[in-house]
Amino acid sequence: MRAAAIVPAAGRGERLGPGEPKALRDLAGQPLLAHAVRALAEARSVDVIVVAAPGGQESRVSRLLHLVAGDTELHVVTGGRTRQQSVALALQAIPDDIDVVLVHDAARPLVPDEVIDAVTSAVRAGADAVVPVVAVTDTIKQVDTAGRVEATVDRSHLRAAQTPQGFARIVLESAHRDAAEHGLEDASDDAGLVEHFGRPVMVIPGSEDGFKVTRPIDLLLAEAVLARRRSAGVH
Ligand code: C5P
């Protein structure tokens, strides 16, 4: 059996400022999405990649990604109105012989292949759902609508969730089916959906390099990480 990676890439990315859809913003001469797809294609455990592209950009995205996907089977579908819908549409395009599905944000271009392969391995070892996580470094305040602090949350139990998140295919498909039946359409991550319907979700160590490009300063950080990799002789 084979593993597939879905890449929801149809978001507008308004927090990055005006311009192209976020997945197509430039990072060191290539769109964010191309970096993310190259990382997945280079991971040993990924056989198929399905990208949910912004409407109207499908053929441009397909041309661009065939250059970086190498031998890895690549499909491009049209994304939906929400991230969750984009993932659900990509799930429908997955070949029959896939038993493990990863979901990876286009907005995390620098994820190391060790993390991708570790997520796949954890699912193959029997987990229903797996999330790479990192410790939360800021002190977190819970506040009310008036801006008053209600509590300082105990950080030792908190983790920031990254992607790729990995799933047994039937677990992810049934979570998306249940979500559609219950009118849920806005989940910000897939493990959250699985958890919502009462299935266990495991965590494994993520990586500092797996951060999400959301604000303009994240693009500067990503460029610095790439420059460090290049000077160390890693692409
Ligand atoms: O906006 P945010 O950074 O949370 O988006 C996470 C990922 O979901 C991004 O890769 C974005 O392109 C994708 N997305 C999508 N379809 C949407 C909205 C977001 O594929 N309608």
Side-chain angles (χ1 to χ4, degrees):
M1 296 298 265
R2 303 190 297 159
I6 287 174
V7 187
R12 299 177 50 81
E14 278 155 2
R15 285 167 293 181
L16 259 187
E20 290 257 47
K22 177 158 73 173
L24 300 176
R25 301 287 180 102
D26 182 82
L27 167 61
Q30 279 200 322
L32 285 176
L33 174 61
H35 290 274
V37 166
R38 184 188 305 102
L40 291 164
E42 286 179 356
R44 277 189 322 244
S45 64
V46 174
D47 304 294
V48 178
I49 299 172
V50 183
V51 173
Q57 304 279 351
E58 299 85 346
S59 43
R60 175 181 168 206
V61 163
S62 184
R63 272 196 310 278
L64 180 88
L65 294 183
H66 274 103
L67 297 173
V68 294
D71 293 338
T72 307
E73 185 179 326
L74 176 74
H75 304 273
V76 176
V77 301
T78 307
R81 204 168 37 75
T82 65
R83 179 190 185 283
Q84 185 187 321
Q85 287 174 345
S86 293
V87 173
L89 289 164
L91 258 177
Q92 289 170 16
I94 280 182
D96 289 343
D97 64 342
I98 297 292
D99 64 342
V100 174
V101 180
L102 310 186
V103 183
H104 182 62
D105 288 336
R108 297 182 190 272
L110 302 179
V111 59
D113 52 3
E114 294 84 7
V115 173
I116 300 168
D117 290 336
V119 169
T120 311
S121 297
V123 179
R124 291 229 182 277
D128 277 350
V130 178
V131 182
V133 297
V134 290
V136 172
T137 52
D138 288 323
T139 295
I140 305 292
K141 302 288 184 190
Q142 184 182 319
V143 297
D144 66 14
T145 49
R148 245 188 322 260
V149 172
E150 290 177 334
T152 299
V153 182
D154 177 6
R155 206 165 56 186
S156 65
H157 293 289
L158 297 181
R159 300 290 182 274
Q162 299 185 329
T163 71
Q165 300 184 346
F167 306 88
R169 177 186 186 149
I170 50 171
V171 170
L172 186 61
E173 283 179 339
S174 77
H176 274 270
R177 221 175 12 249
D178 289 352
E181 275 166 20
H182 288 79
L184 276 175
E185 52 180 37
D186 234 355
S188 62
D189 79 335
D190 300 275
L193 274 185
V194 171
E195 182 194 326
H196 182 83
F197 292 109
R199 302 291 291 249
V201 178
M202 302 299 299
V203 298
I204 63 166
S207 158
E208 275 183 0
D209 288 9
F211 66 91
K212 182 161 78 168
V213 174
T214 305
R215 300 150 305 170
I217 198 168
D218 300 322
L219 273 175
L220 293 177
L221 178 60
E223 273 163 20
V225 172
L226 277 175
R228 186 191 66 194
R229 287 185 185 175
R230 284 193 183 119
S231 68
V234 188
H235 59 81

